[in-house]
């Protein structure tokens, strides 16, 4: 085919334009950190690039979801913190603490520390921060963290402006009185949202503070939060603890997990999540971390436990499902491994109890009926008075549609059919679904539960005693009493032992059906060292480092 | 225009309004975790959720006329502030995309028409068919992988794959991939419209007359053909700018471009209805304004069209 002069001219013009565009693009070559790998010795300098979604808040007053908490955890230190791998309690802003005999009065001694603006951190700053959370005017959705503190209800209903139970005895001493015994309160105060805030800075301009919070943590805001773009933090030189190795962290706010992964592959991110469908390929390409939590060269894919569980609700108030043997049969009939493999691509693992991993005192196989055994399920069905499902009405499986729960419910439906139980779907819009749960107007449903703190209580007390979060309506006064008794136990080991026993007891009644435990599906770059992603979803950016060329 | 706006907002309000389609509206805002009764009542009162639907709508519209789109459920900040900070980014992306579409679409259409049934015509027809059938998110990712990831791997000059700015690249470079993605489908349509219009015009008597009176080929095309062929193309481009302002959701999401579309996408996932509602209201308003401007521009492009005057 003959091309005339004009066609050639046009073609050349297009090539010139494309060339110019690429030349402009070329102004950004590889100018980043030298990624030559160093040995095991920590190296100072460099900036971590971490993928997050747009947080809701990074100000402790409403620090609630994973992304905001990730950032808040770098900016603020609460009284205690949790070991990034084991969940064990550690000291943070508090130098020491003690509780009275029934765990109702807690006294915390603070370390000598400064806020990022140079002012001293005092016990009064903790009191102010906690009251700020409890003040209804601030519309905090996380005030429940402090519900055990005396005076909480009065603040919530507006009849008090201070938390009666919180006293700053002097600059270094904070005394907290609870309205009931709560041995795990020392874990509660480890939540990043319960960090101190400087009153003067907050009250000078609350909006500016929310965009550029001033904390007492290892990193400080480099500039105000660039919404939907990035959050940049820098090492805080006057940090009371060990100075971070990295100069800073650039939290890159991206919307799409696939795009973030491409950025990671291009070397522009040090930490990201693995998009669905690519877990196995990433594990093969980058290697799998030994413990699933720490990134190491060629062992970069993280598949460790998360402190979260996905479970099927059973309405214990329902006339038919109040039958314990029937609930046990239903629980035994569910093939959790099939759900983990087929629905979640092996990223989650079958749940053997209601408490997931990453929790202090976690034990496997705590619930006797949280396993797959079709024959045992059939036997239980006979015991329940419905041999082969005869005489049993249709079970209605309710769920909020459109979030992939249909797939889980489809497996469960088939599993129940295998023992002769007919189940039908009832997919609902989220708000309607929650309405049904609250009103106990359902038979079986689904929910997920994520730990606020790595304690067993977090999975037992809210879910199995009377209260707004107990949607299965399980109610056993003996268990409630045992939980109160455990809460009143100050000795940590003794307390954990009591909780373990209670978990087992609750499992006997099969009040819900634990389905799968969540696992990480994340990957770190080959230039990071010592980077741990905890079961609570927090990164230890203050102690990890970036390997750069050895001098 | 006003009845259309009211109609659209009523439909949106019915769809977005927590509680209108059933379910506890406060739960919709706060999620599954139990909250205190005080906070519950406070949310009800603040958002007027205990009021009948028409009262809620009246309150929303009165505030809307004062430029107040309410407060984000999730972020606790005014929706107007959130969206206005994003709107220039969306506009930037849409205008760049239209410029790309205009240049490449018209050029491709012209070449295709003038060189009818040639290799170039076939190439344009084939490539426009491919572009029209490509899903936006897939095409966007393809560009990201090629120009962002692979070019970098091959040691070639590469382009940024996401976000609006970085220390490494100026903003205009960040704009390239999302704008090309957004423009792709429309460029194909523009090329096709341009081709068919020019072919139609080239068959007209006045074109033969122009050639017969001794004008050169390019003089005939540029002086007589293009003027007439461009009218429908420009109409399409104008309308498309409106469509692009509203159609950036996928492109902005794939490229993490901080615009109104991405904000709406995120808000839908978080059930942050004031943002969804506000975002759609702004887009509807923009599309209506652009459509109005396009209608008015007809009068300038085609002298036979006049508004507001009786024919005599």
């Amino acid at each position: 085919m003959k091309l005339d002069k004009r066609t050639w001219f046009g073609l050349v013009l297009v090539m010139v334009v494309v060339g110019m565009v690429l030349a402009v693009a070329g102004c950004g070559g590889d100018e980043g950190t030298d990624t030559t790998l160093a040995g095991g010795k920590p190296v100072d300098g460099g900036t971590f690039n971490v993928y997050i979604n747009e947080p809701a808040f990074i100000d402790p007053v409403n620090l609630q979801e994973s992304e905001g908490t990730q950032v808040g955890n770098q900016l603020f230190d609460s009284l205690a913190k949790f070991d990034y791998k084991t969940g064990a309690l550690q000291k943070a802003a508090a130098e020491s603490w003690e509780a009275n005999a029934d765990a109702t009065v807690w006294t915390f001694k603070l370390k000598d520390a400064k806020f990022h603006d140079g002012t001293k951190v005092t016990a009064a700053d903790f009191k102010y921060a906690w009251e700020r959370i409890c003040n209804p005017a601030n519309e905090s959705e996380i005030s429940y963290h402090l519900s055990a503190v005396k005076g909480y209800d009065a603040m919530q209903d507006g009849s008090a402006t201070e938390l009666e139970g919180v006293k700053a005895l002097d600059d270094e001493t904070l005394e907290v009185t609870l309205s009931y015994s709560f041995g795990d309160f020392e874990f509660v105060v480890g939540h990043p949202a319960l960090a101190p805030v400087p009153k003067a800075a907050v009250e000078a301009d609350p909006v500016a503070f929310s965009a550029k919070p001033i904390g007492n943590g290892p990193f400080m805001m480099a500039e105000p939060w660039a919404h939907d773009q990035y959050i940049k933090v820098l090492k805080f030189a006057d940090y009371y603890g060990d100075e971070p190795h990295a100069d800073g962290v650039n939290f890159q706010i991206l919307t799409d997990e696939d795009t973030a992964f491409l950025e990671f592959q291009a070397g522009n991110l040090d930490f990201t999540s693995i998009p669905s469908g690519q877990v196995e390929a990433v594990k093969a390409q980058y290697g799998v971390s030994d413990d699933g939590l720490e990134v190491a060269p060629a062992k970069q894919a993280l598949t460790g436990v998360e402190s979260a569980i996905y479970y099927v609700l059973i309405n214990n108030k329902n006339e038919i499902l109040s039958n314990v043997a029937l609930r046990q049969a239903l629980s035994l009939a569910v093939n959790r491994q099939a759900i983990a493999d087929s629905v979640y691509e092996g990223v989650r693992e079958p749940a053997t109890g209601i408490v997931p991993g990453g929790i202090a005192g976690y034990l496997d196989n705590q619930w006797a009926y949280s396993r797959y055994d079709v024959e045992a399920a059939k036997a239980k069905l006979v015991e329940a008075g419905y041999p082969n499902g005869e005489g049993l009405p249709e079970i209605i499986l309710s769920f909020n549609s459109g979030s992939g729960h249909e797939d889980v419910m489809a497996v469960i439906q088939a599993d129940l059919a295998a023992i002769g139980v007919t189940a039908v779907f009832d997919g609902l819009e989220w708000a309607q679904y929650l309405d049904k749960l609250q009103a106990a107007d359902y038979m079986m449903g689904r929910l997920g539960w994520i730990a606020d703190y790595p304690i067993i209580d977090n999975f037992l007390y809210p879910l199995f005693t009377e209260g707004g979060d107990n949607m299965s309506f399980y109610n056993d006064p003996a268990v409630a009493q045992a939980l109160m008794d455990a809460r009143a136990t100050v000795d940590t080991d003794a307390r954990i032992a009591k909780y373990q026993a209670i978990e087992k007891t609750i499992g006997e009644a099969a009040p819900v059906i634990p389905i799968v435990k969540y696992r990480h599906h994340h990957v770190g770059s080959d230039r990071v060292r010592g980077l741990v992603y905890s079961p609570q979803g927090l990164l230890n950016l203050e102690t990890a480092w970036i390997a750069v060329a050895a001098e | 225009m006003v009845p259309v706006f009211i109609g659209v907002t009523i439909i949106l309000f019915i769809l977005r309004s927590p509680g209108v389609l059933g379910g506890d509206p406060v739960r919709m805002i706060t999620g599954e975790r139990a909250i205190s009764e005080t906070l519950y009542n406070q949310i009800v009162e603040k958002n007027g959720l205990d009021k009948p639907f028409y009262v809620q709508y009246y309150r929303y519209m009165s505030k809307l006329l004062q430029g107040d789109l309410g407060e984000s459920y999730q972020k606790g900040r005014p929706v107007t502030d959130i969206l206005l900070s994003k709107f220039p980014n969306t506009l930037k992306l849409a205008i760049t995309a239209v410029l790309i579409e205009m240049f490449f679409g018209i050029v491709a259409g012209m070449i295709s028409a003038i060189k009818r049934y040639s290799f170039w015509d076939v190439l344009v027809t084939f490539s426009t068919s491919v572009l029209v059938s490509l899903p936006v998110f897939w095409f966007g990712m393809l560009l990201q992988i090629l120009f962002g990831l692979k070019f970098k791997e091959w040691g070639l000059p590469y382009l940024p794959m996401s976000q609006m700015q970085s220390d490494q690249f100026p903003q205009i470079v960040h704009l390239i991939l999302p704008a090309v993605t957004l423009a792709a489908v429309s460029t194909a349509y523009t090329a096709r419209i341009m081709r068919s219009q020019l072919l139609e015009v080239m068959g007209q008597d006045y074109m033969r007359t122009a050639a017969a009176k001794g004008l050169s080929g390019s003089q005939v095309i540029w002086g007589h053909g293009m003027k007439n062929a461009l009218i429908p193309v420009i109409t399409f481009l104008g309308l498309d700018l409106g469509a692009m302002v509203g159609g950036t959701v996928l492109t902005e999401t794939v490229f993490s471009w901080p615009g109104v579309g991405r904000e709406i996408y995120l808000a839908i996932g978080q059930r942050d209805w004031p943002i969804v509602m506000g975002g759609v209201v702004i887009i509807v308003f923009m599309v209506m304004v652009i459509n109005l401007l396009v209608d008015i521009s007809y009068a300038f492009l085609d002298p036979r069209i006049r508004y507001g005057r009786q024919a005599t």
Side-chain angles (χ1 to χ4, degrees), chain A residues 212-409:
Chain A
K212 193 182 176 188
I214 295 166
N216 60 334
F219 291 95
M220 56 190 277
M221 293 292 284
E223 56 182 282
W225 172 5
H227 287 288
D228 292 299
Q229 295 182 62
Y230 58 82
I231 295 171
K232 289 181 179 171
V233 300
L234 294 173
K235 173 162 73 176
F236 175 42
D238 273 345
Y239 182 54
Y240 66 89
D242 293 334
E243 207 173 89
H245 296 297
D247 291 335
V249 184
N250 182 6
F251 292 101
Q252 296 190 21
I253 302 172
L254 302 172
T255 323
D256 187 56
E257 194 176 48
D258 290 296
T259 304
F261 188 63
L262 286 176
E263 292 283 13
F264 173 82
Q265 288 179 303
N268 302 327
L269 284 174
D270 291 311
F271 190 77
T272 190
S273 54
I274 305 171
S276 57
Q278 298 191 44
V279 175
E280 289 308 315
V282 170
K283 280 159 76 174
Q285 186 181 351
Y286 294 94
V288 183
S289 160
D290 286 337
D291 59 7
L293 301 173
E294 181 170 349
V295 180
K299 294 177 177 178
Q300 294 158 241
L302 304 182
T303 55
V305 289
E306 288 187 2
S307 305
I309 193 126
Y310 185 106
Y311 62 100
V312 164
L313 279 164
I314 303 176
N315 182 358
N316 288 227
K317 269 186 181 173
N318 181 281
E319 201 180 330
I320 297 158
L321 294 167
S322 59
N323 181 332
V324 176
L326 175 60
R327 292 201 303 263
Q328 291 167 340
L330 298 175
S331 186
L332 287 164
V334 177
N335 187 348
R336 295 159 179 83
Q337 189 68 54
I339 294 172
D341 293 342
S342 65
V343 183
Y344 296 114
E345 304 172 80
V347 175
R348 297 184 187 176
E349 67 173 295
T352 56
I354 194 67
V355 179
I359 302 288
Y362 164 78
L363 291 177
D364 220 355
N365 300 312
Q366 279 286 79
W367 279 27
Y369 301 97
S370 192
R371 62 188 165 87
Y372 180 48
D373 186 338
V374 175
E375 291 313 311
K378 285 179 177 170
K380 276 287 172 189
L381 214 47
V382 174
E383 187 185 325
Y386 304 106
N388 296 317
E390 287 158 21
L392 185 66
E394 274 184 349
I395 301 282
I396 300 167
L397 297 174
S398 301
F399 55 91
N400 50 314
S401 49
S403 304
H405 305 303
E406 289 88 346
D407 299 338
V408 176
M409 289 301 180

Side-chain angles (χ1 to χ4, degrees), chain A residues 1 4 228 255 263 438, chain B residues 27 86 115 119 162 254 262:
Chain A
M1 188 176 294
D4 62 22
D228 292 299
T255 323
E263 292 283 13
Q438 272 193 309
Chain B
R27 281 284 182 171
K86 303 284 156 49
K115 304 282 174 192
F119 166 76
S162 64
V254 169
R262 181 170 90 146

Side-chain angles (χ1 to χ4, degrees), chain A residues 85-162:
Chain A
K85 284 191 177 176
T86 64
L89 196 63
Q90 294 177 334
K91 292 163 189 166
E95 194 171 64
S96 64
W97 61 82
E98 57 184 27
N100 66 349
D102 64 353
T104 51
V105 181
W106 294 77
T107 309
F108 298 89
K109 283 280 179 195
L110 304 187
K111 289 176 185 170
D112 185 17
K114 283 182 181 167
F115 283 115
H116 301 152
D117 62 358
T119 54
K120 183 179 162 61
V121 177
T122 66
D125 296 317
F126 277 93
K127 180 175 165 65
Y128 173 71
W130 292 9
E131 286 170 352
R132 187 170 170 243
I133 290 171
C134 295
N135 183 348
N138 292 325
E139 294 181 18
S140 173
E141 288 174 24
I142 52 157
S143 61
Y144 64 87
H145 289 307
L146 294 164
S147 57
V149 176
K150 197 172 177 185
Y152 169 81
D153 291 334
M155 264 205 95
Q156 282 283 285
D157 66 23
S159 61
T161 54
E162 283 188 46

Side-chain angles (χ1 to χ4, degrees), chain B residues 26 37 40 61 72 78 115 137 141 147 188 231 244-245 251:
Chain B
V26 178
E37 205 181 321
Y40 187 98
M61 289 305 280
S72 158
K115 304 282 174 192
F137 67 92
M141 286 202 78
F147 293 104
I231 293 176
M244 276 189 179
V245 169
T251 308

Side-chain angles (χ1 to χ4, degrees), chain B residues 187-198:
Chain B
T187 304
Y189 279 121
T190 308
R192 288 180 160 211
I193 294 170
M194 186 69 218
R195 179 182 184 273
S196 64
Q197 288 300 317
L198 198 54

Side-chain angles (χ1 to χ4, degrees), chain A residues 64-75:
Chain A
Q64 44 184 300
E65 33 65 64
S66 56
E67 315 303 282
T69 308
Q70 186 71 268
V71 179
N73 186 49
Q74 313 306 327
L75 300 174

